[in-house]
Amino acid sequence: MSCGGSEPDDQAGLSTITWDMPTPYSDAVFHTQNIHQFAEEVKQLTQYKLQIQVHSGAALYKHPEIKRAVRSGQVPIGEILISLLGNEDPLFQVDSLPLLATSYDQARKLWQVSRPEIEALLDKQGLKLLYAVPWPPQGLYTNKPIAVMGDMQGAKIRVYNALLSRLVELLGGNPSTVQSPEIPQAFSTGLINAMITSPSTGVSSQCWDFVSHYYDIQAWIPKNMVFVNKRAFDRLSPDMQNALLAAARHAEERGWAMSEKETAEKTRTLSKNGMFVLKPTIEFQNSLDEIRIQMAAEWEAVAGKTGAIVLKAMEGE
């Protein structure tokens, strides 16, 4: 599969470049819906000269394979969860660093200060960043009230990456790796009795069958990014490049708004199903702030100078 081919297009009467675009999530997910709108706008802005064929639900490549496929030129464009690349460079983990950005405003600031560094990393690999869109913030689900951090002692908490495992350890809990589809079974068998995840995953797993409290701690706000093979991008005409970048800017703005809407809707669904939707107590929040400082220091130690720059920018220094 090449980065793009030409074929006649009846509507435009001109040769058309068609790009295959693998994405990891289904068409029901707002990220994918946003990508379909992005592809449609690219088609319109280029007068059908560039058309993006979206292959959703990991139909073309599995999630971990997408970046390699774009980098090697098997496909010209793709989407992945940024933190999936954390093993390549700690900077790719920054938006999943617990408690660093705990609101959409802070997440926007974090993206503003980290984007140039992430763009530079991708550039060295022959990739060009187009845009990034966040998932809903990650909250704490428990089967009892949490007033102080001691209430978390011994909790069996679902985790899905190394940073989350470290957070659970600092909370005094016991981490247990559980994938999203396995959440109901893990609760019903007693493997876990708490989790930190988004309202979207809470709703999709019908968590109210297993837990009673949702604490909106907004522990982190991870992002997906859409990126393109630089050789494929360079082969486009200047007008087509500008159109692609304009559509990407619009997709980023639209995607952030979609994420905030998703958060509000899914959080309301938790409440409608009888869950207590709460903010953390002052005492518990103070403990979370201490953990944030410790985990940021640990991350900076491995992220080095670039990590320090990002953290200082977040602190407003």
Side-chain angles (χ1 to χ4, degrees):
M1 190 176 300
S2 65
C3 278
S6 295
E7 58 186 38
D9 184 88
D10 294 337
Q11 207 150 350
L14 299 167
S15 62
T16 299
I17 297 172
T18 302
W19 281 2
D20 289 299
M21 179 177 183
T23 76
Y25 305 102
S26 74
D27 288 325
V29 174
F30 74 91
H31 282 280
T32 312
Q33 293 168 5
N34 188 35
I35 284 172
H36 280 294
Q37 292 182 58
F38 162 71
E40 179 63 26
E41 185 173 5
V42 168
K43 183 172 69 174
Q44 298 296 335
L45 289 177
T46 62
Q47 297 179 316
Y48 289 77
K49 294 175 185 175
L50 175 59
Q51 300 193 32
I52 297 173
Q53 180 65 44
V54 180
H55 300 268
S56 57
L60 200 57
Y61 292 97
K62 294 179 181 178
H63 196 169
E65 301 170 348
I66 291 175
K67 176 171 174 282
R68 188 184 307 113
V70 177
R71 187 178 181 186
S72 65
Q74 292 172 282
V75 289
I77 187 171
E79 177 203 31
I80 61 168
L81 178 69
I82 298 177
S83 59
L84 193 67
L85 307 177
N87 289 336
E88 291 186 17
D89 191 288
L91 191 63
F92 288 124
Q93 295 178 314
V94 70
D95 65 6
S96 294
L97 187 58
L99 308 168
L100 179 62
T102 56
S103 69
Y104 276 101
D105 285 344
Q106 290 180 4
R108 285 186 179 89
K109 181 179 180 182
L110 178 59
W111 182 225
Q112 183 179 17
V113 301
S114 61
R115 179 171 187 154
E117 307 298 341
I118 289 175
E119 285 182 320
L121 283 176
L122 293 173
D123 184 72
K124 291 176 182 176
Q125 299 178 356
L127 300 170
K128 181 178 180 61
L129 175 70
L130 292 182
Y131 70 87
V133 169
W135 289 94
Q138 309 289 292
L140 173 65
Y141 297 76
T142 66
N143 58 5
K144 64 177 184 179
I146 304 295
V148 296
M149 194 166 75
D151 294 333
M152 297 295 299
Q153 193 66 39
K156 295 181 285 187
I157 305 177
R158 176 242 178 176
V159 301
Y160 52 84
N161 64 34
L163 285 175
L164 180 49
S165 294
R166 178 60 176 150
L167 172 61
V168 167
E169 290 170 0
L170 293 174
L171 285 170
N174 299 311
S176 183
T177 301
V178 176
Q179 301 304 317
S180 295
E182 302 164 353
I183 288 173
Q185 182 180 1
F187 271 113
S188 62
T189 59
L191 180 63
I192 59 174
N193 55 23
M195 64 179 175
I196 301 174
T197 193
S198 70
S200 302
T201 300
V203 170
S204 65
S205 62
Q206 296 187 338
C207 63
W208 46 83
D209 291 337
F210 311 103
V211 290
S212 54
H213 289 65
Y214 173 72
Y215 288 94
D216 187 20
I217 61 174
Q218 302 199 15
W220 63 92
I221 303 176
K223 295 185 294 293
N224 285 359
M225 66 177 174
V226 170
F227 54 101
V228 64
N229 180 290
K230 283 173 59 180
R231 294 188 304 276
F233 180 81
D234 290 342
R235 282 198 289 268
L236 299 176
S237 69
D239 285 346
M240 294 168 74
Q241 290 179 356
N242 289 335
L244 183 67
L245 295 176
R249 287 193 298 271
H250 299 158
E252 181 158 306
E253 294 170 7
R254 181 175 59 243
W256 281 73
M258 293 171 78
S259 181
E260 292 196 60
K261 181 181 178 183
E262 169 92 355
T263 299
E265 290 178 348
K266 293 300 191 289
T267 302
R268 282 195 297 269
T269 301
L270 296 176
S271 182
K272 287 178 182 177
N273 281 275
M275 291 195 66
F276 297 102
V277 176
L278 306 164
K279 293 291 184 181
T281 65
I282 294 174
E283 292 83 359
F284 188 37
Q285 184 62 57
N286 288 339
S287 297
L288 292 175
D289 288 341
E290 292 175 3
I291 291 175
R292 170 182 57 79
I293 293 169
Q294 181 173 346
M295 292 198 69
E298 292 173 356
W299 179 79
E300 183 179 347
V302 295
K305 183 178 178 181
T306 303
I309 292 171
V310 171
L311 292 178
K312 280 185 169 54
M314 282 299 292
E315 293 165 4
E317 296 181 11

